[in-house]
């Protein structure tokens, strides 16, 4: 066993992990070393008391959650922003509960240490506290997340209280609430006036009193967000709210640069990478190798034991086997036509015909020649191939696939006589 360092973590790698696989996909691979403690509510509270900034990031599927967890995120949020960044929708109002649950499940499978939160979509919690609780329960039971997030201030306090009393952690969201962009006049900064700042503060106090364990503060002037953080007794997670908050959150697609050039991103986003450019480079390289036949190279192909091939001319050997098999089948078909035509024209009932494994264009069996001759036909070598008599089964006439390798013909095939007797002869 050996250890491999990945993003500051050690991964245990055994010899089995390095062996090639013969399928078109591969599993996740070696699990991260479980030295990192699982982030729980108690851990988050302890971080807040110690003034240790809380690192939070969105993820929308297994790979994005896996890398976020491996990078040491404290909280992973399955945000409704996946409506735009993962599903190509215009805004978050389009995404449904079922959409969110599917992505929550995927994220939960990848996350081993971070605390996971699912974002309740628009229309799934606003009607009543009971509706909010019902949706929250689905997120925990079906989505496998450990807490939920919902948008809104004092008007959502009853819903938050209902959910927390049921034992489900709630992350509140005040300031700019994207699900209500139409009522707010678009994605606009909140709290820019003294009246607006007081409204955000009142919302923060209300959701804290309702029982949320933390709250997202979005698109609020840094000074206002800092004052709110100081007056609260629960953590604030800022997004476009300055560094005076208890922690920060960003959309992973935005900060990692997984979008084409020219896309507008919010002012508060710092781009830490250019995943789009790296992915484009890799995919273009693959396309180039395919077009030039440089891929797959010998090291990417599957081996075959040499003894299974003819050392001198394997292609000729394989071709001969294929030719023999299909020519045998073709011969049976030809004989079927010959006997059927003979039966129709002469009125004679075919007697005692069956398959034979003989395959010869030069030496047909004598009984086959006699059989055809009895139908008043001129005997040709090609007509007699694959036909033989059987005195013990005079009522059946079998035509089937060839047995050119000496296999038992069995009883598979097609009976002309039986079709005539059952009245199904389609002359």
């Amino acid at each position: 066993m050996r250890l491999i360092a990945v993003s500051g973590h050690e991964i245990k790698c055994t010899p089995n992990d390095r062996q090639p696989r013969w399928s078109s996909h591969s599993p996740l691979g070696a699990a991260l070393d479980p030295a990192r403690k699982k982030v729980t509510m108690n851990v988050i509270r302890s971080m807040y008391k110690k003034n240790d900034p809380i690192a939070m990031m969105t993820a929308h599927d297994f790979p994005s959650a896996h890398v976020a967890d491996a990078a040491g995120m404290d909280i992973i949020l399955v945000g409704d922003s996946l409506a735009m960044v993962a599903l190509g929708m215009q805004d978050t109002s389009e995404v449904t509960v079922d959409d969110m649950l599917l992505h929550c499940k995927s994220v939960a499978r990848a996350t081993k240490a971070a605390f996971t939160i699912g974002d309740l979509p628009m229309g799934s919690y606003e009607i009543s506290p009971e509706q909010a609780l019902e949706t929250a329960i689905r997120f925990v039971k079906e989505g496998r997340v450990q807490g939920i997030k919902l948008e809104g201030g004092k008007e959502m306090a009853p819903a938050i209280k209902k959910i927390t009393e049921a034992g489900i952690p709630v992350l509140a969201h005040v300031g700019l609430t994207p699900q209500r962009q139409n009522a707010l006049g678009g994605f606009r900064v909140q709290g820019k006036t003294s009246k607006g700042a007081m409204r955000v503060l009142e919302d923060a106090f209300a959701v804290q009193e309702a029982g949320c364990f933390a709250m997202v503060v979005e698109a609020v002037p840094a000074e206002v967000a800092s004052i709110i953080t100081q007056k609260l007794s629960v953590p604030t997670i800022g997004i476009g709210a300055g560094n005076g908050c208890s922690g920060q959150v960003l959309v992973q697609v935005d900060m990692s640069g997984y979008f084409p050039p020219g896309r507008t991103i919010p002012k508060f986003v710092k781009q830490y990478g250019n995943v789009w450019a790296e992915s484009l480079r890799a995919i273009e390289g693959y396309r180039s190798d395919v077009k030039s036949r440089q891929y797959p190279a010998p090291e990417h192909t599957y081996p075959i034991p040499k003894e299974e091939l003819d050392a001198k001319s394997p292609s000729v050997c394989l071709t001969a086997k294929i030719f023999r098999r299909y020519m045998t089948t073709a011969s049976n078909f030809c004989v079927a036509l010959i006997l059927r035509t003979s039966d129709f024209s002469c009125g004679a009932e075919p007697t005692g015909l069956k398959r034979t494994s003989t395959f010869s264009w030069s030496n047909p069996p004598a009984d086959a020649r006699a059989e055809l001759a009895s139908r008043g036909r001129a005997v040709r070598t090609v007509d007699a191939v694959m036909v033989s008599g059987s005195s013990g089964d005079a009522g059946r006439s079998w035509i089937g696939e060839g047995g050119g390798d000496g296999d038992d013909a069995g009883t598979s095939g097609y009976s002309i006589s039986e079709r005539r007797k059952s009245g199904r002869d389609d002359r």
Side-chain angles (χ1 to χ4, degrees), residues 303-325:
I304 181 172
K306 291 183 178 180
E307 58 270 19
E308 296 296 330
L309 295 174
D310 188 302
K312 294 182 179 180
S313 181
S315 61
V316 173
C317 179
L318 291 175
T319 300
K321 291 181 179 180
I322 295 172
F323 176 78
R324 183 176 61 194
R325 174 168 295 180

Side-chain angles (χ1 to χ4, degrees), residues 152-155 174-175 184 189-206 220 224 228:
K154 52 189 175 183
E155 75 281 2
V174 299
L184 298 174
V189 176
Q190 304 296 301
K192 293 182 67 175
T193 64
S194 57
K195 183 178 179 180
M198 285 301 299
R199 186 164 54 248
V200 176
L201 179 59
E202 289 172 1
D203 284 341
F205 276 128
V220 172
V224 175
I228 292 174

Side-chain angles (χ1 to χ4, degrees), residues 325-346:
R325 174 168 295 180
Y326 283 95
M327 282 302 296
T328 302
T329 303
S331 299
N332 286 333
F333 180 72
C334 291
V335 172
L337 293 179
I338 293 169
L339 295 179
R340 189 175 180 83
T341 302
S342 176
D343 186 26
F344 296 160
S345 61
C346 302

Side-chain angles (χ1 to χ4, degrees), residues 377-389:
R377 293 180 56 98
V379 179
R380 295 184 298 161
T381 298
V382 66
D383 294 338
V385 175
M386 302 301 296
V387 182
S388 66

Side-chain angles (χ1 to χ4, degrees), residues 106-180:
S106 181
V107 168
R109 294 186 191 106
T111 307
K112 304 303 179 185
F115 192 83
T116 55
I117 296 176
D119 205 351
L120 302 192
M122 180 181 181
S124 67
Y125 61 93
E126 299 94 334
I127 296 177
S128 67
E130 289 74 22
Q131 183 206 26
L133 175 58
E134 183 179 353
T135 306
I137 290 173
R138 288 193 66 190
F139 269 64
V140 174
K141 289 180 67 66
E142 300 177 37
R144 308 307 300 154
V145 294
Q146 292 146 352
I148 62 96
K149 181 177 84 68
L150 57 78
E151 296 182 7
K154 52 189 175 183
E155 75 281 2
M156 284 294 107
I160 294 173
K161 180 176 174 58
K162 188 77 171 178
I163 296 171
T164 55
E165 286 179 346
I168 299 175
V170 175
L171 175 67
H173 188 148
V174 299
L176 172 61
T177 50
Q179 292 178 7
R180 307 180 186 193

Side-chain angles (χ1 to χ4, degrees), residues 195-219:
K195 183 178 179 180
M198 285 301 299
R199 186 164 54 248
V200 176
L201 179 59
E202 289 172 1
D203 284 341
F205 276 128
V207 296
Q208 175 183 263
E209 184 66 22
C212 72
F213 75 90
M215 70 187 71
V216 171
V217 180
E218 180 170 358

